[in-house]
Amino acid sequence: MKWTVGNIVKRATEILKERGSKSPRLDAELLLVHSLKLRDRVELYLNFDRPLTEREVEDYRQLVKRRAKGEPVAYITGKKEFFGFEFKVRKGVLIPRPETETLVEEALKLIKGKKGLKVVDVGTGSGCIAITVCKLTKGENTIIGVDVSEEALKVAKENVENLKCKVHLIRTSLLNGLKGPFDAIISNPPYVAAGDKRVEREVLKYEPKIALFAGKSGLEFIEKLVKESHKKLKEGGFLALEFGEGQGKEVKELLSEAGFKEVRIIKDLSGKERVGIGVK
Ligand SMILES: C[S@@+](CC[C@H](N)C(=O)[O-])C[C@H]1O[C@@H](n2cnc3c(N)ncnc32)[C@H](O)[C@@H]1O
């Protein structure tokens, strides 16, 4: 069989579909873009009849094999798009999720138009939240990204450098040792309950547990974050945090109990309650 861009994508799509990928065509295309070092998927479509060399076929086959075993595309290609920016990722750091864009959008609504704010992103991971806020507010605020994971902070540092923005990265747990007061605290914290059967197998196998799990209830991190944040925010400052399916009611209660005002819960694009906001 003479392989071309078009027919090899078709074949890889069939294989990945059989192996349970939920987005086999997209996966097959992204892997070929990466393998052939193309700029984007448009370039694939413009070169559908281009024949592949034996070397190119073999390289692509190796990537498809990894994906077929369940490894996320972003770990294979080493990158993931978030809010239109390209973030480096690798094992040891959570892959940015599209639902987190809702958290960033809501935080930006409250930050934009202001200058000189002190903002902290708790559990920064790849740095996707802190860096996006920094880019979209033109570096007019002091932005800090904290994480307890050294591995995550290494990746965040690379992203800060690549995307050329000023984000201070600090290794600590929650807000420990950070000198407030802050105008805004933003966080996509770990919020999955230990043993939650809804977590996909490939997420469990490949992504860092420390980024996912928060005790028996899934709310242990959020409980601490909400209390600590209230202590470290300025009057009028806000906490915006992401949470998991079915946690909206508890998050609303936790925010109110801690003394936050104007507490609201926002849905993501798929209509699920996803973000909690409270003002001190
Ligand atoms: C759900 S991930 C979010 C990563 C990134 N902000 C994103 O949205 O893609 C949670 C992050 O919190 C970090 N984390 C876990 N426990 C922490 C703690 N006690 N203090 C600070 N960060 C913590 C994890 O290492 C992980 O990077």
Side-chain angles (χ1 to χ4, degrees), residues 94 96 100 121 123-125 128-129 146-149 152 172-174 188-190 210-211 221:
L94 192 93
T100 304
D121 167 22
T124 199
C128 61
I129 297 172
V146 302
D147 208 292
V148 80
S149 154
T172 189
S173 177
L174 278 158
N188 172 19
I210 194 171
F221 191 103

Side-chain angles (χ1 to χ4, degrees), residues 28-264:
E29 290 183 1
L30 289 174
L31 291 177
L32 192 56
V33 166
H34 177 70
S35 190
L36 297 179
K37 300 186 177 58
L38 304 178
R39 219 172 326 121
D40 51 29
R41 284 157 62 218
V42 175
E43 261 198 85
L44 276 190
Y45 286 101
L46 295 175
N47 289 288
F48 247 48
D49 298 325
R50 167 185 175 307
L52 265 61
T53 64
E54 270 178 41
R55 177 84 242 159
E56 286 171 337
V57 171
E58 188 45 36
D59 288 348
Y60 184 54
R61 202 190 299 276
Q62 293 309 320
L63 303 189
V64 173
K65 239 185 185 171
R66 284 168 67 185
R67 178 68 196 120
K69 284 187 189 153
E71 188 171 348
V73 171
Y75 286 155
I76 301 173
T77 62
K79 55 187 183 241
K80 177 76 183 179
E81 195 179 299
F82 180 81
F83 233 99
F85 299 109
E86 191 178 286
F87 287 87
K88 277 193 178 192
V89 287
R90 57 176 173 262
K91 248 187 140 175
V93 73
L94 192 93
I95 300 165
R97 305 292 206 266
E99 23 328 345
T100 304
E101 294 190 349
T102 302
L103 169 67
V104 174
E105 271 165 16
E106 292 303 321
L108 281 172
K109 282 183 199 165
L110 298 170
I111 292 173
K112 270 193 168 168
K114 296 177 186 161
K115 281 184 189 170
L117 302 187
K118 207 168 166 187
V119 181
V120 58
D121 167 22
V122 181
T124 199
S126 62
C128 61
I129 297 172
I131 293 170
T132 303
V133 170
C134 180
K135 298 290 284 181
L136 298 182
T137 55
K138 304 189 195 89
E140 288 166 336
N141 303 294
T142 301
I143 308 203
I144 301 165
V146 302
D147 208 292
V148 80
S149 154
E150 203 167 333
E151 192 51 43
L153 285 173
K154 273 190 206 156
V155 177
K157 185 168 179 277
E158 290 172 31
N159 283 319
V160 166
E161 286 164 4
N162 274 354
L163 291 161
K164 297 182 181 50
C165 60
K166 203 168 168 204
V167 171
H168 308 271
L169 296 169
I170 299 174
R171 185 168 184 217
T172 189
S173 177
L174 278 158
L175 295 159
N176 289 347
L178 294 193
K179 207 162 160 271
F182 297 102
D183 298 278
I185 298 176
I186 311 170
S187 182
N188 172 19
Y191 52 68
V192 182
D196 189 332
K197 295 278 182 295
R198 290 172 297 183
V199 185
E200 288 170 30
R201 230 182 26 194
E202 67 184 50
V203 172
L204 260 187
K205 183 166 171 204
Y206 290 93
E207 301 205 61
K209 309 267 178 298
I210 194 171
L212 301 168
F213 295 104
K216 249 187 175 171
S217 65
L219 286 163
E220 286 180 16
F221 191 103
I222 291 182
E223 279 166 9
K224 289 185 204 150
L225 177 70
V226 167
K227 281 187 196 148
E228 289 303 308
S229 296
H230 196 266
K231 287 184 203 151
K232 295 217 167 164
L233 279 168
K234 285 182 194 164
E235 285 296 323
F238 72 88
L239 166 65
L241 66 106
E242 181 172 321
F243 56 81
E245 225 177 312
Q247 294 176 335
K249 187 168 166 279
E250 282 107 326
V251 168
K252 202 171 178 188
E253 281 166 12
L254 286 170
L255 286 165
S256 301
E257 279 164 18
F260 281 97
K261 295 172 288 188
E262 299 170 44
V263 172
R264 48 205 177 92

